[in-house]
Amino acid sequence: KKLSLLIALAALAALALSLPAAQAEGIEVRHAALVSGEEGYFLEADFEIALNVTLEDALNKGVPLYFLLEFEVIRPRWYWLNEKVFNTQQQYRLSYNTLTRQYRLGVGSLYHNFGALPEALDFLSRVRRRQVLEPGILSKDITYTAGVRMRLDVSQLPKPFQLNALASRDWNFGSEWAHWSVTP
């Protein structure tokens, strides 16, 4: 009896390990840093992006999704409100072409095509050497707070989807702000 119970438990454990892990929907900041270079300061960040069924379905039906990468640098002050030293946004456009069956990710006037959605999301989730600050903006003797987040920009959606976004949580898609201290 004990042997059959052990075999059953081992089979159940093997079955549980063979199932794909459930990935949470949304955007999560995995890593973010402000790197100093000769030309200034560069943002490097890693996100984990998992589209929910509603967004993936809309994308596959031809609705482009616009994502905003937001970055800010704040100087904390004890005697007054915090001073926003710098803030910037970068817009990404993710679309699907049903004729070519390819996903297209655009940043400004540059575009890159991908054969599968996970490849496009993987590319979107890595920010490397994005210049955000020129040299001399940050003082050497002050500790600043930097923050980054990525979110779906619902204002860029077609009007019927914007109305839908007001009523549904599925369209409220983004990460929380990730803050860290920066001392130049």
Side-chain angles (χ1 to χ4, degrees):
K1 234 177 182 179
K2 286 183 181 179
L3 183 60
S4 63
L5 180 63
L6 285 175
I7 292 172
L9 286 174
L12 185 61
L15 178 66
L17 290 175
S18 67
L19 294 174
Q23 187 176 8
E25 298 170 345
I27 301 175
E28 184 179 331
V29 180
R30 290 288 185 198
H31 167 76
L34 193 61
V35 180
S36 177
E38 288 182 15
E39 299 89 30
Y41 293 92
F42 299 90
L43 174 65
E44 296 201 354
D46 291 316
F47 297 90
E48 185 171 320
I49 303 170
L51 296 182
N52 59 38
V53 176
T54 304
L55 293 179
E56 192 170 336
D57 187 42
L59 179 64
N60 289 329
K61 289 182 178 173
V63 177
L65 301 178
Y66 292 85
F67 292 91
L68 273 181
L69 172 69
E70 298 174 300
F71 174 75
E72 67 182 10
V73 176
I74 297 170
R75 187 178 118 208
R77 297 189 287 197
W78 63 271
Y79 59 89
W80 195 250
L81 301 173
N82 294 339
E83 176 188 6
K84 192 171 280 194
V85 177
F86 182 81
N87 65 340
T88 186
Q89 296 180 342
Q90 176 69 57
Q91 186 181 70
Y92 297 88
R93 181 182 189 266
L94 179 62
S95 61
Y96 179 67
N97 188 328
T98 54
L99 292 175
T100 61
R101 294 183 182 189
Q102 288 191 330
Y103 293 90
R104 188 173 195 188
L105 184 62
V107 182
S109 61
L110 301 174
Y111 289 93
H112 198 320
N113 293 326
F114 299 92
L117 181 58
E119 294 171 10
L121 293 176
D122 186 49
F123 189 83
L124 176 64
S125 69
R126 288 178 305 198
V127 177
R128 294 292 179 264
R129 295 210 37 97
R130 176 162 173 357
Q131 185 171 5
V132 288
L133 292 170
E134 295 179 8
I137 290 182
L138 302 181
S139 300
K140 299 273 185 215
D141 57 343
I142 299 174
T143 299
Y144 297 91
T145 301
V148 68
R149 77 172 175 172
M150 185 179 285
R151 64 181 174 87
L152 179 69
D153 187 4
V154 293
S155 68
Q156 296 294 324
L157 293 170
K159 292 295 181 198
F161 289 96
Q162 288 183 22
L163 293 174
N164 211 6
L166 293 173
S168 174
R169 295 170 125 222
D170 291 339
W171 294 93
N172 187 9
F173 190 78
S175 70
E176 298 291 325
W177 279 99
H179 289 99
W180 68 97
S181 294
V182 175
T183 305

